[in-house]
Amino acid sequence: SPLKDEFAKPFLTASNQIIKSLLNGRTALEAHQRSQNVFGEQIEALQKSDAPPEAQHMLPWLFWDKTSQTIIGDKNAQI
């Protein structure tokens, strides 16, 4: 299950931040920025010397997801 997969966790944590932020009344832009911050934190964690060896394979895709995430529509939209 992806929820129990430690290799999926950095991706899910960052992407789920958008939903959490929107549900907490943040704008689309704020949700995006918070998610970008989480992506950055996850990338930094995987760059540390104590990161699992698999991190070297995860980092390019995590960075790709971070740089590919965009807002389409009204940046001030809220739920």
Side-chain angles (χ1 to χ4, degrees):
S1 151
L3 296 177
K4 296 179 183 176
D5 183 346
E6 287 301 312
F7 300 118
K9 187 175 183 177
F11 299 91
L12 291 173
T13 302
S15 65
N16 288 348
Q17 183 60 48
I18 294 172
I19 301 302
K20 288 179 183 178
S21 296
L22 290 172
L23 291 174
N24 285 321
R26 305 286 181 189
T27 66
L29 178 60
E30 290 169 328
H32 172 76
Q33 290 169 333
R34 286 171 175 252
S35 177
Q36 289 291 296
N37 290 341
V38 174
F39 269 117
E41 292 166 4
Q42 296 297 325
I43 289 169
E44 285 180 25
L46 291 176
Q47 290 176 324
K48 292 184 178 179
S49 61
D50 62 347
E54 297 83 4
Q56 66 179 330
H57 303 292
M58 297 165 58
L59 279 167
W61 299 112
L62 197 58
F63 184 75
W64 171 265
D65 284 0
K66 181 182 189 300
T67 58
S68 298
Q69 185 184 67
T70 59
I71 301 173
I72 298 173
D74 183 0
K75 294 178 181 181
N76 296 311
Q78 291 178 286
I79 295 178

Coordinates of all heavy atoms in Angstrom, one line a residue:
S1 N 0.8 -1.2 0.0 CA 0.0 0.0 0.0 C 0.9 1.2 0.0 O 1.9 1.3 0.8 CB -0.9 -0.1 1.2 OG -1.2 1.2 1.7
P2 N 0.6 2.2 -0.8 CA 1.4 3.4 -0.9 C 1.5 4.2 0.5 O 2.5 4.8 0.8 CB 0.6 4.3 -1.9 CG -0.1 3.4 -2.7 CD -0.5 2.2 -1.8
L3 N 0.4 4.0 1.3 CA 0.5 4.7 2.6 C 1.5 4.1 3.5 O 2.0 4.8 4.5 CB -0.9 4.7 3.2 CG -2.0 5.4 2.5 CD1 -3.4 5.3 3.2 CD2 -1.7 6.9 2.3
K4 N 1.9 2.9 3.3 CA 2.9 2.2 4.1 C 4.2 2.1 3.5 O 5.2 1.7 4.1 CB 2.4 0.8 4.5 CG 1.1 0.8 5.3 CD 0.7 -0.6 5.6 CE -0.6 -0.6 6.4 NZ -1.2 -2.0 6.6
D5 N 4.3 2.6 2.3 CA 5.6 2.5 1.5 C 6.5 3.7 1.8 O 6.1 4.8 1.5 CB 5.2 2.5 0.0 CG 6.4 2.4 -0.9 OD1 7.6 2.5 -0.4 OD2 6.2 2.1 -2.1
E6 N 7.6 3.4 2.4 CA 8.5 4.5 2.9 C 9.1 5.2 1.7 O 9.5 6.4 1.8 CB 9.6 3.9 3.7 CG 9.2 3.5 5.1 CD 8.6 4.7 5.9 OE1 9.2 5.8 5.9 OE2 7.5 4.5 6.5
F7 N 9.2 4.6 0.5 CA 9.7 5.3 -0.7 C 8.7 6.2 -1.3 O 9.0 7.1 -2.0 CB 10.2 4.2 -1.7 CG 11.3 3.4 -1.1 CD1 11.2 2.0 -1.0 CD2 12.5 4.0 -0.7 CE1 12.2 1.2 -0.5 CE2 13.5 3.2 -0.2 CZ 13.4 1.8 -0.1
A8 N 7.4 5.9 -1.1 CA 6.3 6.8 -1.6 C 6.1 8.0 -0.7 O 5.6 9.0 -1.1 CB 5.0 6.0 -1.8
K9 N 6.5 7.8 0.6 CA 6.2 8.8 1.6 C 6.6 10.3 1.2 O 5.8 11.2 1.4 CB 6.8 8.4 2.9 CG 6.4 9.3 4.1 CD 6.9 8.8 5.4 CE 6.5 9.6 6.6 NZ 6.9 9.1 7.8
P10 N 7.8 10.5 0.7 CA 8.2 11.9 0.4 C 7.3 12.5 -0.7 O 7.0 13.7 -0.6 CB 9.7 11.7 -0.1 CG 10.2 10.5 0.5 CD 9.0 9.6 0.6
F11 N 6.9 11.7 -1.6 CA 6.1 12.2 -2.7 C 4.7 12.5 -2.2 O 4.1 13.5 -2.5 CB 6.0 11.1 -3.8 CG 7.3 10.8 -4.5 CD1 8.1 9.8 -4.0 CD2 7.8 11.6 -5.5 CE1 9.3 9.5 -4.6 CE2 9.0 11.3 -6.1 CZ 9.8 10.3 -5.6
L12 N 4.1 11.5 -1.4 CA 2.8 11.7 -0.9 C 2.7 12.9 0.1 O 1.7 13.6 0.1 CB 2.3 10.4 -0.2 CG 2.0 9.3 -1.1 CD1 1.7 8.0 -0.3 CD2 0.9 9.6 -2.1
T13 N 3.7 13.0 1.0 CA 3.7 14.1 2.0 C 3.7 15.4 1.3 O 2.9 16.3 1.7 CB 5.0 14.0 2.8 OG1 5.0 12.7 3.4 CG2 5.0 15.0 3.9
A14 N 4.4 15.6 0.2 CA 4.5 16.9 -0.4 C 3.2 17.2 -1.2 O 2.6 18.2 -1.1 CB 5.7 17.0 -1.4
S15 N 2.7 16.2 -2.0 CA 1.5 16.4 -2.8 C 0.3 16.5 -1.9 O -0.6 17.3 -2.2 CB 1.3 15.3 -3.8 OG 1.1 14.0 -3.2
N16 N 0.2 15.8 -0.8 CA -1.0 15.8 0.1 C -1.0 17.2 0.8 O -2.1 17.5 1.3 CB -1.0 14.7 1.1 CG -1.3 13.4 0.4 OD1 -1.8 13.4 -0.8 ND2 -1.1 12.3 1.1
Q17 N 0.1 17.9 0.9 CA 0.1 19.2 1.5 C -0.9 20.2 0.9 O -1.5 21.0 1.5 CB 1.5 19.8 1.6 CG 1.6 21.1 2.3 CD 1.2 20.9 3.8 OE1 1.6 20.0 4.5 NE2 0.3 21.8 4.2
I18 N -1.1 20.0 -0.4 CA -2.0 20.9 -1.2 C -3.4 20.7 -0.7 O -4.1 21.6 -0.3 CB -1.9 20.6 -2.7 CG1 -0.6 21.0 -3.2 CG2 -3.0 21.3 -3.4 CD1 -0.3 20.5 -4.7
I19 N -3.8 19.4 -0.6 CA -5.2 19.1 -0.1 C -5.4 19.6 1.3 O -6.4 20.2 1.6 CB -5.5 17.6 -0.2 CG1 -5.3 17.2 -1.7 CG2 -6.9 17.3 0.3 CD1 -6.2 17.9 -2.7
K20 N -4.4 19.3 2.2 CA -4.5 19.7 3.6 C -4.7 21.2 3.7 O -5.5 21.8 4.4 CB -3.3 19.3 4.4 CG -3.2 17.8 4.6 CD -2.0 17.5 5.4 CE -1.8 16.0 5.6 NZ -0.6 15.7 6.3
S21 N -3.9 22.0 2.9 CA -3.9 23.4 3.0 C -5.2 24.0 2.5 O -5.8 24.9 3.1 CB -2.8 24.0 2.1 OG -1.5 23.6 2.7
L22 N -5.7 23.4 1.4 CA -7.0 23.9 0.8 C -8.1 23.6 1.8 O -9.0 24.5 2.0 CB -7.3 23.2 -0.5 CG -6.4 23.7 -1.7 CD1 -6.6 22.8 -2.9 CD2 -6.6 25.1 -2.0
L23 N -8.1 22.4 2.4 CA -9.2 22.1 3.4 C -9.1 23.0 4.6 O -10.1 23.1 5.3 CB -9.1 20.6 3.7 CG -9.5 19.6 2.6 CD1 -9.2 18.2 3.1 CD2 -10.9 19.8 2.2
N24 N -7.9 23.5 4.9 CA -7.8 24.4 6.0 C -8.0 25.9 5.7 O -7.6 26.8 6.4 CB -6.4 24.2 6.7 CG -6.3 22.9 7.4 OD1 -7.3 22.6 8.1 ND2 -5.2 22.3 7.4
G25 N -8.6 26.1 4.5 CA -8.9 27.5 4.1 C -7.9 28.3 3.4 O -8.1 29.5 3.2
R26 N -6.8 27.7 3.0 CA -5.7 28.5 2.3 C -6.1 28.7 0.9 O -6.9 27.9 0.3 CB -4.4 27.7 2.4 CG -3.9 27.3 3.8 CD -3.4 28.5 4.5 NE -2.9 28.2 5.8 CZ -2.6 29.0 6.7 NH1 -2.6 30.3 6.5 NH2 -2.2 28.6 7.9
T27 N -5.5 29.6 0.2 CA -5.7 29.8 -1.2 C -4.9 28.8 -2.0 O -4.0 28.1 -1.4 CB -5.3 31.2 -1.6 OG1 -3.8 31.3 -1.5 CG2 -5.9 32.4 -0.8
A28 N -5.2 28.7 -3.3 CA -4.5 27.8 -4.1 C -3.0 28.1 -4.1 O -2.1 27.3 -4.1 CB -5.0 27.9 -5.6
L29 N -2.7 29.4 -4.2 CA -1.3 29.9 -4.1 C -0.6 29.5 -2.8 O 0.5 28.9 -2.8 CB -1.2 31.4 -4.4 CG 0.3 31.9 -4.3 CD1 1.1 31.3 -5.4 CD2 0.2 33.4 -4.5
E30 N -1.3 29.7 -1.7 CA -0.7 29.3 -0.4 C -0.5 27.8 -0.3 O 0.5 27.3 0.2 CB -1.6 29.8 0.7 CG -1.6 31.3 0.9 CD -2.7 31.7 1.9 OE1 -3.8 31.1 1.9 OE2 -2.5 32.8 2.5
A31 N -1.5 27.0 -0.8 CA -1.3 25.6 -0.8 C -0.2 25.1 -1.7 O 0.6 24.3 -1.3 CB -2.6 25.0 -1.3
H32 N 0.0 25.8 -2.8 CA 1.1 25.4 -3.7 C 2.4 25.8 -3.0 O 3.4 24.9 -3.1 CB 1.0 26.3 -5.0 CG 2.2 26.2 -5.9 ND1 2.4 25.1 -6.7 CD2 3.2 27.0 -6.2 CE1 3.5 25.3 -7.4 NE2 4.0 26.5 -7.1
Q33 N 2.5 26.9 -2.4 CA 3.8 27.3 -1.8 C 4.1 26.4 -0.6 O 5.3 26.0 -0.4 CB 3.7 28.8 -1.3 CG 3.7 29.8 -2.4 CD 3.3 31.2 -1.9 OE1 2.6 31.4 -0.9 NE2 3.8 32.2 -2.7
R34 N 3.1 26.0 0.1 CA 3.4 25.0 1.3 C 3.8 23.7 0.7 O 4.7 23.1 1.3 CB 2.1 24.9 2.1 CG 1.8 26.1 3.0 CD 0.4 26.0 3.6 NE 0.2 27.1 4.5 CZ 0.3 27.0 5.9 NH1 0.4 25.8 6.4 NH2 0.1 28.1 6.6
S35 N 3.2 23.3 -0.3 CA 3.6 22.0 -0.9 C 5.1 22.1 -1.5 O 5.9 21.2 -1.3 CB 2.7 21.6 -2.1 OG 3.1 20.4 -2.7
Q36 N 5.4 23.2 -2.1 CA 6.8 23.4 -2.6 C 7.8 23.4 -1.4 O 8.9 22.8 -1.5 CB 6.9 24.7 -3.3 CG 6.2 24.8 -4.7 CD 6.9 23.9 -5.7 OE1 8.0 24.1 -6.0 NE2 6.2 22.8 -6.1
N37 N 7.4 23.9 -0.3 CA 8.3 23.9 0.9 C 8.5 22.5 1.4 O 9.6 22.1 1.8 CB 7.7 24.8 2.0 CG 7.8 26.2 1.7 OD1 8.5 26.7 0.9 ND2 7.0 27.0 2.4
V38 N 7.4 21.7 1.4 CA 7.5 20.3 1.8 C 8.4 19.5 0.8 O 9.2 18.7 1.3 CB 6.1 19.7 2.0 CG1 6.3 18.2 2.3 CG2 5.4 20.4 3.1
F39 N 8.2 19.8 -0.5 CA 9.1 19.1 -1.4 C 10.5 19.4 -1.1 O 11.4 18.5 -1.1 CB 8.8 19.6 -2.9 CG 7.8 18.8 -3.6 CD1 6.6 19.3 -4.0 CD2 8.0 17.5 -3.9 CE1 5.7 18.6 -4.7 CE2 7.1 16.7 -4.6 CZ 5.9 17.3 -5.0
G40 N 10.8 20.7 -0.8 CA 12.2 21.1 -0.5 C 12.7 20.4 0.7 O 13.9 19.9 0.8
E41 N 11.9 20.3 1.8 CA 12.3 19.6 3.0 C 12.6 18.1 2.7 O 13.5 17.5 3.2 CB 11.2 19.7 4.0 CG 11.0 21.1 4.6 CD 9.7 21.3 5.3 OE1 9.0 20.3 5.5 OE2 9.4 22.4 5.7
Q42 N 11.7 17.5 1.9 CA 11.9 16.1 1.6 C 13.2 15.9 0.7 O 13.9 14.9 1.0 CB 10.7 15.5 0.8 CG 9.4 15.5 1.6 CD 9.5 14.6 2.8 OE1 10.1 13.6 2.8 NE2 8.8 15.1 3.9
I43 N 13.4 16.8 -0.2 CA 14.7 16.7 -1.0 C 15.9 16.8 -0.1 O 16.8 16.0 -0.2 CB 14.6 17.7 -2.1 CG1 13.6 17.3 -3.2 CG2 16.0 17.9 -2.7 CD1 13.3 18.4 -4.2
E44 N 15.9 17.8 0.8 CA 17.0 18.0 1.7 C 17.2 16.8 2.6 O 18.4 16.3 2.8 CB 16.7 19.2 2.6 CG 16.9 20.5 1.9 CD 16.7 21.7 2.8 OE1 16.9 21.6 4.1 OE2 16.4 22.8 2.3
A45 N 16.1 16.1 3.1 CA 16.3 15.0 3.9 C 16.9 13.8 3.2 O 17.7 13.1 3.7 CB 14.9 14.6 4.5
L46 N 16.6 13.7 1.9 CA 17.1 12.6 1.1 C 18.5 12.8 0.6 O 19.2 11.9 0.1 CB 16.2 12.3 -0.1 CG 14.9 11.7 0.3 CD1 14.0 11.5 -1.0 CD2 15.0 10.3 1.0
Q47 N 19.0 14.0 0.8 CA 20.4 14.4 0.4 C 21.4 14.2 1.6 O 22.6 14.3 1.4 CB 20.5 15.8 -0.1 CG 19.8 16.0 -1.4 CD 19.8 17.4 -1.9 OE1 19.7 18.4 -1.1 NE2 19.9 17.7 -3.2
K48 N 20.9 13.9 2.8 CA 21.7 13.8 3.9 C 22.5 12.5 3.9 O 22.1 11.5 3.2 CB 20.9 13.8 5.2 CG 20.3 15.2 5.5 CD 19.6 15.3 6.8 CE 19.1 16.7 7.0 NZ 18.4 16.8 8.3
S49 N 23.6 12.4 4.6 CA 24.5 11.3 4.5 C 23.8 10.0 5.1 O 24.2 8.9 4.8 CB 25.8 11.5 5.3 OG 25.5 11.9 6.6
D50 N 22.8 10.2 6.0 CA 22.1 9.0 6.6 C 20.9 8.6 5.8 O 20.1 7.7 6.3 CB 21.8 9.3 8.1 CG 20.8 10.5 8.2 OD1 20.6 11.2 7.3 OD2 20.3 10.6 9.4
A51 N 20.7 9.2 4.7 CA 19.5 8.8 3.8 C 19.7 7.4 3.3 O 20.9 6.9 3.1 CB 19.4 9.8 2.7
P52 N 18.6 6.7 3.1 CA 18.8 5.3 2.5 C 19.5 5.3 1.1 O 19.4 6.3 0.4 CB 17.3 4.8 2.4 CG 16.5 6.0 2.4 CD 17.3 7.1 3.2
P53 N 20.1 4.3 0.8 CA 20.8 4.2 -0.5 C 19.9 4.4 -1.7 O 20.3 5.0 -2.7 CB 21.4 2.8 -0.6 CG 21.4 2.3 0.8 CD 20.3 3.0 1.5
E54 N 18.6 4.1 -1.5 CA 17.6 4.3 -2.6 C 17.3 5.7 -2.9 O 16.8 6.1 -3.9 CB 16.3 3.5 -2.2 CG 16.5 2.0 -2.1 CD 17.0 1.6 -0.7 OE1 17.1 2.5 0.2 OE2 17.2 0.4 -0.5
A55 N 17.7 6.6 -2.0 CA 17.4 8.0 -2.1 C 18.0 8.6 -3.4 O 17.4 9.4 -4.1 CB 18.0 8.8 -1.0
Q56 N 19.1 8.1 -3.9 CA 19.7 8.6 -5.1 C 18.8 8.3 -6.3 O 18.9 9.1 -7.3 CB 21.1 7.9 -5.3 CG 21.0 6.4 -5.6 CD 22.4 5.8 -5.8 OE1 23.3 6.5 -6.3 NE2 22.6 4.6 -5.4
H57 N 18.0 7.3 -6.2 CA 17.1 7.0 -7.3 C 15.8 7.8 -7.2 O 15.1 8.0 -8.2 CB 16.8 5.5 -7.4 CG 18.0 4.7 -7.5 ND1 18.7 4.7 -8.7 CD2 18.6 3.8 -6.7 CE1 19.7 3.9 -8.5 NE2 19.7 3.4 -7.3
M58 N 15.5 8.2 -6.0 CA 14.2 9.0 -5.7 C 14.4 10.5 -5.9 O 13.4 11.1 -6.4 CB 13.8 8.7 -4.3 CG 13.4 7.3 -3.9 SD 13.4 7.0 -2.2 CE 12.1 8.1 -1.6
L59 N 15.5 11.0 -5.7 CA 15.8 12.4 -5.8 C 15.4 13.0 -7.1 O 14.7 14.1 -7.1 CB 17.2 12.8 -5.4 CG 17.4 12.8 -3.9 CD1 18.9 12.9 -3.6 CD2 16.8 14.1 -3.3
P60 N 15.8 12.5 -8.2 CA 15.5 13.1 -9.5 C 14.0 13.2 -9.7 O 13.5 14.2 -10.3 CB 16.1 12.2 -10.5 CG 17.1 11.4 -9.8 CD 16.7 11.3 -8.4
W61 N 13.3 12.2 -9.3 CA 11.8 12.2 -9.5 C 11.1 13.1 -8.5 O 10.1 13.8 -8.9 CB 11.3 10.8 -9.4 CG 11.9 9.9 -10.5 CD1 12.8 8.9 -10.3 CD2 11.8 10.1 -11.9 NE1 13.2 8.4 -11.5 CE2 12.6 9.1 -12.5 CE3 11.0 10.9 -12.7 CZ2 12.7 9.0 -13.9 CZ3 11.1 10.8 -14.1 CH2 11.9 9.8 -14.6
L62 N 11.6 13.2 -7.3 CA 11.1 14.2 -6.4 C 11.3 15.6 -6.8 O 10.4 16.4 -6.8 CB 11.7 13.9 -5.0 CG 11.0 14.5 -3.8 CD1 9.6 14.0 -3.7 CD2 11.7 14.2 -2.5
F63 N 12.5 15.9 -7.4 CA 12.8 17.2 -7.9 C 11.9 17.5 -9.1 O 11.4 18.6 -9.3 CB 14.3 17.3 -8.3 CG 14.7 18.6 -8.7 CD1 14.8 19.7 -7.9 CD2 14.9 18.9 -10.1 CE1 15.2 21.0 -8.3 CE2 15.3 20.1 -10.5 CZ 15.4 21.2 -9.6
W64 N 11.7 16.4 -10.0 CA 10.8 16.6 -11.1 C 9.4 17.0 -10.7 O 8.8 17.9 -11.3 CB 10.8 15.3 -11.9 CG 9.8 15.3 -13.0 CD1 8.5 14.8 -13.0 CD2 9.9 15.8 -14.3 NE1 7.9 15.0 -14.1 CE2 8.7 15.6 -15.0 CE3 11.0 16.5 -15.0 CZ2 8.5 16.0 -16.3 CZ3 10.8 16.9 -16.3 CH2 9.5 16.7 -17.0
D65 N 8.9 16.3 -9.7 CA 7.5 16.6 -9.3 C 7.5 18.0 -8.7 O 6.5 18.7 -9.0 CB 7.1 15.6 -8.2 CG 6.7 14.2 -8.7 OD1 6.8 14.1 -10.0 OD2 6.4 13.4 -7.9
K66 N 8.5 18.4 -8.0 CA 8.5 19.8 -7.4 C 8.5 20.8 -8.5 O 7.7 21.8 -8.5 CB 9.8 19.9 -6.5 CG 9.9 21.3 -5.9 CD 11.1 21.4 -5.1 CE 11.2 22.7 -4.2 NZ 11.1 23.9 -5.0
T67 N 9.4 20.7 -9.5 CA 9.5 21.7 -10.5 C 8.3 21.6 -11.5 O 8.1 22.6 -12.2 CB 10.8 21.6 -11.3 OG1 10.9 20.3 -11.9 CG2 12.0 21.8 -10.4
S68 N 7.6 20.5 -11.6 CA 6.5 20.4 -12.6 C 5.2 20.8 -12.0 O 4.2 21.0 -12.7 CB 6.4 18.9 -13.0 OG 7.6 18.5 -13.7
Q69 N 5.1 21.0 -10.7 CA 3.9 21.3 -10.0 C 3.5 22.8 -10.4 O 4.3 23.7 -10.2 CB 4.0 21.2 -8.5 CG 2.7 21.4 -7.7 CD 3.0 21.3 -6.3 OE1 3.7 22.2 -5.7 NE2 2.5 20.3 -5.6
T70 N 2.3 23.0 -10.9 CA 1.9 24.3 -11.3 C 0.5 24.6 -10.8 O -0.3 23.6 -10.5 CB 1.9 24.5 -12.8 OG1 1.1 23.6 -13.4 CG2 3.3 24.4 -13.4
I71 N 0.1 25.8 -10.8 CA -1.3 26.2 -10.5 C -1.9 26.5 -11.8 O -1.4 27.3 -12.6 CB -1.3 27.4 -9.6 CG1 -0.6 27.1 -8.3 CG2 -2.8 27.8 -9.3 CD1 -0.5 28.4 -7.4
I72 N -3.1 26.0 -12.0 CA -3.9 26.3 -13.2 C -5.2 26.9 -12.7 O -5.9 26.3 -12.0 CB -4.1 25.0 -14.1 CG1 -2.8 24.4 -14.6 CG2 -5.1 25.3 -15.2 CD1 -3.0 23.1 -15.3
G73 N -5.4 28.1 -13.1 CA -6.7 28.8 -12.7 C -6.4 29.9 -11.7 O -5.3 30.4 -11.7
D74 N -7.4 30.2 -10.9 CA -7.3 31.3 -10.0 C -6.4 31.0 -8.8 O -6.7 30.1 -8.0 CB -8.7 31.6 -9.5 CG -8.8 32.9 -8.6 OD1 -7.8 33.5 -8.3 OD2 -10.0 33.2 -8.2
K75 N -5.3 31.7 -8.7 CA -4.4 31.5 -7.6 C -5.0 31.9 -6.2 O -4.5 31.5 -5.2 CB -3.1 32.3 -7.8 CG -2.3 31.8 -9.0 CD -1.1 32.6 -9.2 CE -0.4 32.0 -10.4 NZ 0.9 32.7 -10.7
N76 N -6.0 32.7 -6.2 CA -6.7 33.1 -5.0 C -7.9 32.3 -4.6 O -8.6 32.6 -3.6 CB -7.1 34.6 -5.1 CG -5.8 35.5 -5.2 OD1 -4.9 35.3 -4.4 ND2 -5.8 36.4 -6.2
A77 N -8.1 31.3 -5.4 CA -9.3 30.4 -5.1 C -9.2 29.7 -3.8 O -8.1 29.3 -3.3 CB -9.5 29.4 -6.2
Q78 N -10.3 29.6 -3.1 CA -10.4 28.9 -1.8 C -11.6 28.0 -1.8 O -12.6 28.2 -2.6 CB -10.5 29.9 -0.7 CG -9.3 30.7 -0.4 CD -9.5 31.7 0.7 OE1 -10.2 32.7 0.5 NE2 -9.0 31.4 1.9
I79 N -11.6 27.0 -1.0 CA -12.7 26.1 -0.8 C -13.6 26.6 0.2 O -13.2 27.1 1.2 CB -12.3 24.6 -0.5 CG1 -11.4 24.1 -1.6 CG2 -13.5 23.8 -0.1 CD1 -10.9 22.7 -1.3

